[in-house]
Amino acid sequence: MCGIAGEIAFNGRTASQEAVLDMMGAMTSRGPDGRGTWHAGWVALGHQRLSIIDLSSGGTQPMLDDGGLAVTFNGCIYNYKELRRELEPEFTFHSTSDTEVILKAYRKWGEDFVHHLVGMFAIALFDSRRCEVLLVRDRLGIKPLYVAELQGRLRFASTLPALVASGGIDTSVDEVALHHYLSWHSIVPAPRTILSGIRKLPAATIRTVRADGTWHDREYWKPSYTRRDEHAGWSAGDWQDAVRDALRTAVRRRMVADVPVGVLLSGGLDSSLLVALLAEEGQHGLSTFSIGFDGAGGDSGNEFEYSDLIAREFGTRHERLHVSTSEFAPSIGDAVEAMSEPMSSHDVTAFHLLSKTVTEHLKVVQCGQGADEVFGGYGYHQPLAGVGRSEAQSAFTASFVDHSHEKLLRILEPEWFTGPDVSSQVLASHLAEAGADTALDAVLRLDTHLLMVDDPVKRLDNMSMAWGLEARVPFLDHELVELAAACPPELKASQGGKGILKDLGRQMLPAAVVDRRKGYFPVPALRHLEEPFISMVRDALHAPEAKQRGIFRPDYIDSLLADPNTQRTAVNSNVLWQFALLEMWLQRHGVG
């Protein structure tokens, strides 16, 4: 786990080591245990190290191979030991790291090496013999990879601010990305980012970059959301057994480390299942962590009663972090600083604070992110269960979209309005693709493979890595996702969502944790705004930079400030906070 950076120069130019060092300096927190650089004419690579596997100097990156290869890598290959055993008859290894396994796998299988990797990863691999650089992102986009095209060169990094720090980047706000941000509660899916000059490599993509500046992308994985012959005749019990086996494997894989591994325990179904499965695997004295806040606006600020129940049931060493409103408010600026892109979800700062506490104990945790997207757990999934395939977009829009295209006319200043409804066009394109049997199948595919990557997945990576914490997500194991994609949607949508996981939970967990109203990571202070948050919001939206940028219509903002808690999105987020967070991020990072 770490931060990676690099520059590729074209047509005889020399890559800038200084630019790479500037990028690395902007993401030291992602890799506080070491730094390495490598340069060979038109390619320069950099690496900030967080030591998880092979703590010795043998795991240092960038790593070279006598086959003319160099690699810098962010993430973890969970099956690296199995791959090493397969490759050892053919290659000599000089470390015990998963990084070296990537190099040898590429030498054996070429670009198909990616099909042999189980894990989360962003990889930059230089092949001197083919005069190519491969940029590779894992199947679910768990590890980020940002890219920027400049005149005669391409730069890449694990964070967007790192690319900005390298200089020469177009940091103006992208109008299409702004439309997405306001439509989908701050989600800007790949390849766009909120900034015009920076893009993201999409999940499950290999980009092959040549010395002449040409490149092409290949999507190497895309599961089918259809029913399959091998599952014909399966009962609900058969599906439940298969999901349990796949989840058990996913949890076991994510215990691979040369340091202890804990769990972020919210007290909800998903993280509680992880604790139960780890107990089955013989993990005794497991470290678990939960966070809670003061209540506001009638909302409770914690779910400690449930996390405590799970901790007692499975004998974990449990740490509770309660953050008062007076402590929480000063933390928002640091969380905004840690965001690669603006993220208005109210739990971002919560993850930031919790990660800080966890790193006082551990470097690696598992968490339950992704379960709702993969198994249909959100309220906006439920309306899709009863509509036809052709009605997927209209049903999804009604239950998910924050602001319609028409409403944005009243929110945005005219120069920021895109003209066509670009967000609806993206939804229509993805939902109409073949390979999904039902409307719910199509939406779960959209959620899992496009939107989730730039919402909970990005949120978790940014906030944990701000403190050098590696967060692993068993529910996004690609084999589990493939199985869930093939599962009949009615089994997922039943019982108000995640029905198949709830049935599994009833076999393994206290009933109080399973049979309760769905909770969310509760941060009431950002859902129901009071002081000092209202002043924080007002200052951001009335700042000179905000006025000069002129994104929002002043009369609309003033109406929200006069009544800050009435307007909510379809998923019950505070509209005013969504707008203010964008300005806070742009101002904090000095862009836009």
Side-chain angles (χ1 to χ4, degrees):
M1 183 65 69
C2 58
I4 66 172
E7 181 172 288
I8 307 166
F10 306 128
N11 298 318
R13 294 180 176 88
T14 299
S16 169
Q17 290 179 286
E18 291 76 16
V20 173
L21 287 169
D22 287 341
M23 289 187 278
M24 292 165 61
M27 53 183 182
T28 304
S29 69
R30 294 186 70 93
D33 297 333
R35 169 181 289 193
T37 60
W38 176 85
H39 181 258
W42 64 286
V43 177
L45 302 177
H47 184 263
Q48 291 286 155
R49 186 180 186 193
L50 177 64
S51 301
I52 302 295
I53 292 174
D54 189 350
L55 309 185
S56 74
S57 60
T60 300
Q61 297 183 46
M63 185 176 287
L64 309 183
D65 179 89
D66 55 15
L69 308 177
V71 70
T72 185
F73 151 63
N74 170 26
C76 183
I77 308 303
Y78 301 126
N79 66 330
Y80 80 99
K81 291 181 180 179
E82 295 87 340
L83 281 176
R84 179 180 174 128
R85 286 193 291 270
E86 184 177 353
L87 293 163
E88 277 179 330
E90 195 170 341
F91 302 103
T92 300
F93 285 80
H94 304 284
S95 75
T96 59
S97 72
D98 52 346
T99 309
E100 189 173 10
V101 169
I102 292 173
L103 288 168
K104 301 301 191 284
Y106 176 79
R107 283 180 63 183
K108 181 174 180 62
W109 294 299
E111 283 194 15
D112 287 341
F113 82 111
V114 70
H115 297 298
H116 297 263
L117 305 182
V118 176
M120 53 181 184
F121 46 85
I123 301 168
L125 190 153
F126 172 52
D127 186 335
S128 63
R129 296 179 181 179
R130 295 177 61 88
C131 288
E132 293 178 345
V133 177
L134 301 185
L135 302 178
V136 188
R137 197 170 178 198
D138 67 67
R139 296 169 181 85
L140 278 304
I142 301 166
K143 291 291 104 186
L145 191 55
Y146 291 87
V147 296
E149 293 183 60
L150 292 84
Q151 187 172 9
R153 59 194 68 232
L154 182 147
R155 292 179 191 156
F156 59 87
S158 293
T159 73
L160 180 148
L163 282 171
V164 172
S166 72
I169 305 294
D170 179 359
T171 61
S172 62
V173 172
D174 182 315
E175 294 175 1
V176 173
L178 177 63
H179 197 284
H180 295 339
Y181 176 96
L182 295 172
S183 297
W184 304 325
H185 30 282
S186 78
I187 298 171
V188 178
R192 293 185 183 273
T193 75
I194 197 66
L195 300 186
S196 300
I198 299 178
R199 294 291 182 258
K200 291 175 287 225
L201 189 71
T205 297
I206 298 176
R207 175 167 295 177
T208 303
V209 185
R210 304 179 187 87
D212 63 2
T214 60
W215 54 269
H216 70 271
D217 285 355
R218 175 169 71 90
E219 186 179 35
Y220 64 85
W221 180 76
K222 189 174 186 177
S224 175
Y225 281 69
T226 60
R227 313 294 80 82
R228 303 175 196 167
D229 291 342
E230 62 262 36
H231 303 136
W234 276 27
S235 66
D238 293 329
W239 278 107
Q240 187 176 309
D241 291 343
V243 167
R244 178 171 182 157
D245 289 344
L247 184 56
R248 180 186 291 114
T249 297
V251 168
R252 185 185 304 127
R253 284 171 170 165
R254 284 155 184 80
M255 289 303 294
V256 172
D258 293 333
V259 295
V261 179
V263 175
L264 300 185
L265 177 61
S266 69
L269 172 66
D270 311 324
S271 58
S272 298
L273 278 172
L274 301 184
V275 172
L277 286 165
L278 285 165
E280 283 191 353
E281 292 294 309
Q283 294 293 321
H284 302 296
L286 185 71
S287 293
T288 55
F289 306 86
S290 61
I291 189 169
F293 300 89
D294 292 344
D299 292 336
S300 171
N302 70 74
E303 296 183 340
F304 287 152
E305 63 176 301
Y306 300 109
S307 57
D308 287 352
L309 178 59
I310 293 298
R312 289 194 301 270
E313 180 78 11
F314 296 100
T316 74
R317 292 180 296 185
H318 191 54
E319 296 279 341
R320 296 197 322 182
L321 173 64
H322 182 270
V323 181
S324 67
T325 298
S326 61
E327 296 172 299
F328 180 61
S331 304
I332 289 176
D334 291 337
V336 173
E337 180 74 25
M339 297 177 189
S340 268
E341 297 175 71
M343 294 177 281
S344 64
S345 175
H346 61 275
D347 63 1
V348 181
T349 304
F351 273 119
H352 191 259
L353 289 167
L354 182 58
S355 296
K356 179 183 179 182
T357 295
V358 173
T359 53
E360 297 170 3
H361 304 268
L362 296 171
K363 283 187 174 182
V364 185
V365 289
Q366 297 194 26
C367 64
Q369 294 289 83
D372 286 294
E373 289 83 359
V374 173
F375 287 97
Y378 288 127
Y380 62 79
H381 291 141
Q382 307 314 308
L384 275 300
V387 304
R389 180 72 170 80
S390 62
E391 301 172 75
Q393 183 171 355
S394 59
F396 179 70
T397 297
S399 57
F400 183 86
V401 171
D402 294 339
H403 310 288
S404 69
H405 184 66
E406 293 71 24
K407 186 178 178 183
L408 289 179
L409 280 169
R410 305 194 301 273
I411 294 173
L412 296 172
E413 290 283 24
E415 60 266 32
W416 291 100
F417 201 69
T418 58
D421 187 349
V422 289
S423 297
S424 288
Q425 289 174 353
V426 170
L427 293 182
S429 174
H430 282 266
L431 291 172
E433 288 180 3
D437 281 348
T438 69
L440 184 55
D441 284 317
V443 165
L444 291 177
R445 179 180 62 185
L446 172 82
D447 219 357
T448 301
H449 301 280
L450 185 74
L451 301 179
M452 177 189 70
V453 178
D454 281 288
D455 190 18
V457 167
K458 181 170 66 183
R459 188 189 323 157
L460 179 66
D461 173 83
N462 284 193
M463 297 304 106
S464 60
M465 290 305 295
W467 300 101
L469 175 69
E470 176 171 309
R472 299 175 174 181
V473 279
F475 285 100
L476 298 185
D477 184 276
H478 79 275
E479 292 178 350
L480 177 62
V481 171
E482 289 173 347
L483 179 69
C487 180
E490 59 270 18
L491 293 181
K492 292 178 280 192
S494 64
Q495 304 176 51
K498 292 191 296 192
I500 195 167
L501 291 185
K502 289 176 179 176
D503 286 339
L504 182 58
R506 291 187 183 95
Q507 298 178 12
M508 307 178 69
L509 302 171
V513 172
V514 180
D515 296 313
R516 68 179 179 98
R517 184 170 169 265
K518 177 178 173 57
Y520 294 91
F521 209 154
V523 190
L526 298 185
R527 186 174 289 170
H528 184 88
L529 296 173
E530 299 174 351
E531 291 295 353
F533 302 100
I534 291 177
S535 292
M536 188 184 302
V537 164
R538 182 181 292 108
D539 290 347
L541 292 169
H542 283 169
E545 302 97 317
K547 292 181 178 179
Q548 183 177 1
R549 208 170 352 255
I551 292 177
F552 303 113
R553 290 180 178 269
D555 57 342
Y556 190 82
I557 294 299
D558 289 344
S559 70
L560 290 177
L561 287 168
D563 184 14
N565 293 305
T566 298
Q567 288 208 39
R568 303 294 180 98
T569 69
V571 295
N572 200 31
S573 295
N574 189 296
V575 168
L576 182 58
W577 181 253
Q578 180 189 42
F579 296 170
L581 190 281
L582 174 62
E583 268 299 334
M584 291 165 66
W585 186 88
L586 292 170
Q587 292 167 32
R588 187 85 178 196
H589 290 272
V591 295

